[in-house]
Amino acid sequence: MTTETDAAEIAVDELTPDQAAAELARLGREIARHDTLYHGEDRPEISDAAFDALRRRLEAIEARFPALVRADSPSRRVGAAPATGFAKVRHAVPMLSLANAFAPEEVAEFLARVRRFLALEADQPLTIVAEPKIDGLSLSLRYQDGALVQAATRGDGVEGEDVTANVRTIDEVPQTLAPDGAVPAVVEVRGEVYMTRDDFLALNARRRTADEATFANPRNAAAGSLRQLDATITAGRPLRFFAYSWGETSEPLGATLWQVRDRLAAWGFRLNAPARRCGSLDEMLALYREIEGARAGTAHDLDGVVYKVDRLDYRDRLGAVSRAPRWAIAHKFPAAQATTRLAEIKIQVGRTGALTPVALLDPVTVGGVVVTRATLHNEDEIARKDVRAGDTVVVQRAGEVIPQIVRVVVENRPADDAARPRFAFPDRCPECDSLAVRDDGEVVRRCTGGLICPAQAVERLRHFVSRDAFDIDGLGEKIIETFWTEKLVRTPGDLFRLPETDATTTPRLQDRHGWGPKSAQNLFDAIAARRQIPLDRFIYALGIRQVGQATARLLARSYASLEAWRTAMIAAADRDGEAWHELTAIDQIGPSVADDLVGFFAEAHNLAVLDDLAAQLTVTPVAAPAAEAASPLAGKTIVFTGTLATMSRGEAKARAEALGAKVTGSVSAKTDYVVVGADAGSKATKARDLGVATLTEEAWRALAGFDA
Ligand code: IVH
């Protein structure tokens, strides 16, 4: 009898039928397992290349022994069935992330920025609370009259998943708040769900014994345990919770973070320690060093220290930029490093055609995570580091970022190595063989294949359905690739025609292995649910170069409707025209982004994709934030000139923008208000000449509701 382990080592051509049967059984199981890890649980254990190798071996064996093809063979199905999910929860107050600092200078810069924004004099104190940053996942707990009514994950910060049933099983989350006098009618307590290292190791040991897949690190274990559709599974997992922040509250919780921390503790929450109020950079850095020194001995993984402005009135004034508050910063611990062998340099093609070199590595554990691939950025980077296949390399991993190659351990190269050629970057696309060119001044080489390049098309579709874009569940990479190859879906618009296309295709999705009528219907429902989509998501989904989420939001807010945006972008092709000026006048949109927008609209095939979608979808305007809806400044154009006595220019601008106004640098007939501070010069004069309304600082404060 042939054991599976024997057969795994044998070349396809040399397998006996017995060995082939054993291998097909083993490969089928392996592929199914990795498929589930990839599609169902978002935690692949092997590289795409290793996965492809498994599939290729299975297909080669099946080709040699057609009689042995199993009924449940992976070659007969498309991919794992889409995971059914949790209900979505819209956060009343967005869940933000944190900006990062890696060096003391960046922390000093943070303090200077805060002081500048608040226009603090050198002798005015600025108290900062410093506390450990825990590596888990954030959670928002909503309490009504002291009782836990809802628990939601962060999701994309705006919308998360309802995990209430699961969270009710976590001991460290109070079901009711211990009364501390007056518990607010509504309070959302936010913090981190995590697992200690010991609990993580014990959980993995149990899973290994039960022949179940193990988790890569405590963070993944916590995330995987929380996102269980069956709450009884979560109940068996040792999850813990630290409170460090809050969302919506029916009344202010205190005047300082330090006071709120006391209340959180009194209500029954555990707080992260050690925390300290610091009056200077030195005190902050001292706590950082203390926590870093104790890091190895703490029960749970720490990835840095968070510094937060203590006074809550300051925090309100500071507000947020894009997705991170101005009043806090994470000072990260240095990245974990390890040494391994680089097996191969592979070129990947992205949705914009960029050729990105990726290092395939012998698996190595870096900071608790098994790493099998690392980015090499671009061809200059490879040349600079002189990275070659077979080299020993130092790999680094910091937080969520893709692992990087730090350097080659040149000492490990064999003595006769000089003859080994340097890596030659291809000048043709590895996917479609079109010429790959590098424009002057660009670091990136791009495939010129455009629409005929399958890699670009598949990547564009993947981006289109991704979480921050159309967020269509159940469409993983493998499924999209299959749909593309089978010509079921070639453009984003095809997705919305999928039910009709599928009806005339054999085999239909519902008849394919691994699908069935239910999962096919789930996918169609998930797609149908997105026929109505906010304009910012729509713009982001188009995958225009340099247009990320923040830019998409700015565009959606500035142009309000898809039609208006489309018309303006086409008109902006004229650099002397008004549309171009309006576009580049949007704060944070410079000529380079504007160029990419205009370039996108100049291509007939892009317009065709957009119009095809527009004909099938309802694209809704982006709701203005609550503060803005009622604001007298919404839609107004404001110029600040001269020195304001009670606030910095930065704070004035941030407030105006938060209230829906556009802040520009020069006065024109289109300007609504010019706010005139001390020592104002020509802009004040020009405003008067043009008949534009001018405001004193007091009038501005009143209009913007500063003293309300
Ligand atoms: S304060 C406005 N404090 O780190 C955001 N976050 O990288 C308020 N985190 O999304 C966050 N420990 O999930 C804060 N002591 C701590 C934290 C902490 C971990 C997480 C949190 C946040 C992420 C940002």
Side-chain angles (χ1 to χ4, degrees):
M1 190 189 144
T2 309
T3 70
E4 290 178 0
T5 7
D6 296 340
E9 308 292 326
I10 303 170
V12 175
D13 289 347
E14 288 161 22
L15 288 169
T16 64
D18 269 359
Q19 291 167 333
E23 257 298 68
L24 287 178
R26 179 189 74 91
L27 288 166
R29 267 201 323 274
E30 276 291 280
I31 291 168
R33 186 168 81 83
H34 290 301
D35 232 331
T36 310
L37 284 171
Y38 188 100
H39 293 291
E41 301 183 37
D42 288 327
R43 48 181 196 104
E45 280 177 6
I46 59 174
S47 67
D48 290 1
F51 181 82
D52 290 344
L54 290 179
R55 278 199 81 110
R56 274 200 305 275
R57 180 167 169 86
L58 176 117
E59 282 157 17
I61 298 172
E62 288 186 346
R64 229 193 112 201
F65 299 102
L68 297 181
V69 175
R70 301 164 61 100
D72 62 354
S73 167
S75 64
R76 294 193 170 186
R77 64 169 188 245
V78 179
T84 48
F86 296 89
K88 301 267 166 159
V89 174
R90 229 183 145 71
H91 298 299
V93 175
M95 290 183 80
L96 302 174
S97 56
L98 293 170
N100 290 328
F102 295 93
E105 298 75 53
E106 294 170 80
V107 180
E109 176 48 35
F110 161 72
L111 285 181
R113 217 162 38 232
V114 169
R115 286 187 158 277
R116 210 159 46 232
F117 190 98
L118 296 171
L120 294 183
E121 304 287 344
D123 59 353
Q124 281 180 277
L126 176 67
T127 307
I128 300 288
V129 174
E131 63 182 24
K133 179 164 168 10
I134 303 156
D135 202 8
L137 62 148
S138 44
L139 189 69
S140 188
L141 305 166
R142 190 177 175 88
Y143 291 86
Q144 253 158 25
D145 300 317
L148 176 66
V149 292
Q150 187 171 62
T153 61
R154 178 168 181 273
D156 62 3
V158 176
E159 205 177 64
E161 288 174 328
D162 186 334
V163 288
T164 315
N166 300 5
V167 167
R168 288 198 191 281
T169 70
I170 303 177
D171 286 345
E172 291 192 357
V173 170
Q175 297 294 309
T176 50
L177 301 178
D180 68 334
V183 172
V186 173
V187 56
E188 283 177 4
V189 175
R190 292 178 176 174
E192 203 86 349
V193 174
Y194 68 98
M195 204 179 274
T196 65
R197 273 195 287 265
D198 284 349
D199 284 342
F200 156 73
L201 292 173
L203 172 65
N204 263 359
R206 284 202 303 277
R207 291 178 68 84
R208 219 169 284 121
T209 316
D211 207 18
E212 289 169 327
T214 52
F215 290 106
N217 54 36
R219 198 193 116 81
N220 284 0
S225 302
L226 187 66
R227 294 184 73 256
Q228 287 290 335
L229 290 172
D230 177 355
T232 59
I233 298 181
T234 310
R237 302 283 174 81
L239 292 175
R240 293 163 193 264
F241 182 77
F242 269 132
Y244 51 64
S245 187
W246 59 94
E248 191 183 12
T249 59
S250 51
E251 61 195 67
L253 299 183
T256 63
L257 169 59
W258 204 251
Q259 287 174 2
V260 181
R261 283 178 59 98
D262 283 346
R263 292 194 76 182
L264 290 170
W267 289 339
F269 290 99
R270 199 205 259 268
L271 307 180
N272 9 357
R276 196 173 295 157
R277 291 170 97 183
C278 305
S280 68
L281 176 63
D282 286 346
E283 283 174 45
M284 291 157 67
L285 297 178
L287 186 65
Y288 175 88
R289 282 189 297 268
E290 225 176 281
I291 294 175
E292 191 190 3
R295 189 180 174 193
T298 49
H300 47 264
D301 281 354
L302 297 179
D303 57 354
V305 172
V306 186
Y307 305 123
K308 307 175 192 181
V309 171
D310 191 30
R311 274 179 60 164
L312 303 186
D313 57 340
Y314 282 174
R315 285 172 36 162
D316 285 344
R317 285 171 59 191
L318 285 156
V321 238
S322 185
R323 301 192 134 201
R326 285 197 191 81
W327 46 260
I329 197 160
H331 188 179
K332 303 295 279 283
F333 292 136
Q337 296 190 338
T339 302
T340 188
R341 193 185 73 98
L342 185 152
E344 185 192 339
I345 297 175
K346 190 182 158 193
I347 305 292
Q348 282 185 342
V349 185
R351 81 186 136 86
T352 59
L355 267 49
T356 308
V358 176
L360 305 186
L361 308 168
D362 287 354
V364 62
T365 308
V366 191
V369 173
V370 179
V371 169
T372 55
R373 50 205 295 154
T375 175
L376 283 164
H377 300 291
N378 55 53
E379 64 183 294
D380 289 354
E381 177 93 357
I382 298 184
R384 190 163 48 242
K385 292 182 175 155
D386 186 16
V387 183
R388 310 179 199 183
D391 277 340
T392 305
V393 291
V394 176
V395 189
Q396 162 172 309
R397 209 190 117 250
E400 297 295 297
V401 302
I402 308 165
Q404 296 169 314
I405 302 289
V406 183
R407 64 185 175 87
V408 173
V409 183
V410 187
E411 309 85 87
N412 278 17
R413 281 194 181 149
D416 61 350
D417 193 68
R420 204 160 51 116
R422 293 176 74 107
F423 179 74
F425 205 90
D427 57 5
R428 294 204 161 263
C429 173
E431 301 287 341
C432 71
D433 206 37
S434 302
L435 214 54
V437 298
R438 189 172 160 181
D439 290 336
D440 284 347
E442 282 258 0
V443 286
V444 178
R445 190 175 283 277
R446 283 177 208 279
C447 162
T448 55
L451 289 179
I452 66 144
C453 178
Q456 286 186 55
V458 168
E459 284 305 312
R460 271 201 299 269
L461 286 168
R462 256 171 55 143
H463 172 78
F464 187 83
V465 303
S466 65
R467 190 169 82 173
D468 295 328
F470 270 67
D471 190 21
I472 299 176
D473 271 350
L475 277 178
E477 177 177 10
K478 299 266 153 35
I479 297 182
I480 290 187
E481 244 175 62
T482 310
F483 284 0
W484 199 87
T485 317
E486 295 184 357
K487 298 201 171 76
L488 273 171
V489 176
R490 284 277 160 130
T491 69
D494 290 345
L495 276 172
F496 296 94
R497 285 183 286 269
L498 187 60
E500 295 97 88
T501 321
D502 177 61
T504 59
T505 306
T506 25
R508 294 189 51 179
L509 274 189
Q510 57 171 21
D511 300 326
R512 299 185 189 203
H513 195 88
W515 279 83
K518 183 142 191 297
S519 34
Q521 195 53 50
N522 281 349
L523 178 61
F524 297 156
D525 290 347
I527 293 172
R530 294 292 182 267
R531 280 186 181 271
Q532 183 164 332
I533 188 99
L535 180 57
D536 58 336
R537 279 184 179 258
F538 181 91
I539 294 176
Y540 173 70
L542 295 174
I544 303 168
R545 223 186 275 175
Q546 296 197 74
V547 179
Q549 275 183 286
T551 306
R553 218 167 285 152
L554 285 172
L555 290 166
R557 298 272 296 276
S558 302
Y559 293 96
S561 75
L562 176 58
E563 296 72 32
W565 179 59
R566 181 186 187 281
T567 312
M569 293 305 98
I570 293 172
D574 172 10
R575 298 294 141 100
D576 301 319
E578 204 170 309
W580 172 264
H581 287 291
E582 252 174 43
L583 175 59
T584 49
I586 300 175
D587 192 42
Q588 295 169 48
I589 294 193
S592 157
V593 175
D595 260 340
D596 281 336
L597 282 160
V598 167
F600 179 89
F601 278 84
E603 300 278 351
H605 61 85
N606 289 336
L607 275 180
V609 164
L610 192 149
D611 291 339
D612 176 26
L613 284 168
Q616 302 189 69
L617 308 179
T618 309
V619 182
T620 56
V622 178
E628 187 179 315
S631 149
L633 289 170
K636 303 289 190 214
T637 302
I638 301 190
V639 175
F640 291 94
T641 180
T643 313
L644 300 176
T646 60
M647 71 188 75
S648 66
R649 187 68 71 80
E651 179 171 8
K653 184 163 178 275
R655 171 66 72 106
E657 283 169 357
L659 293 170
K662 189 158 87 183
V663 179
T664 64
S666 61
V667 180
S668 77
K670 287 194 157 187
T671 311
D672 293 292
Y673 298 113
V674 176
V675 179
V676 182
D679 304 321
S682 61
K683 288 180 195 171
T685 324
K686 186 161 182 200
R688 260 164 239 133
D689 292 348
L690 289 172
V692 173
T694 58
L695 299 177
T696 61
E697 181 163 352
E698 290 69 42
W700 150 249
R701 286 186 70 91
L703 196 60
F706 271 97
D707 308 308

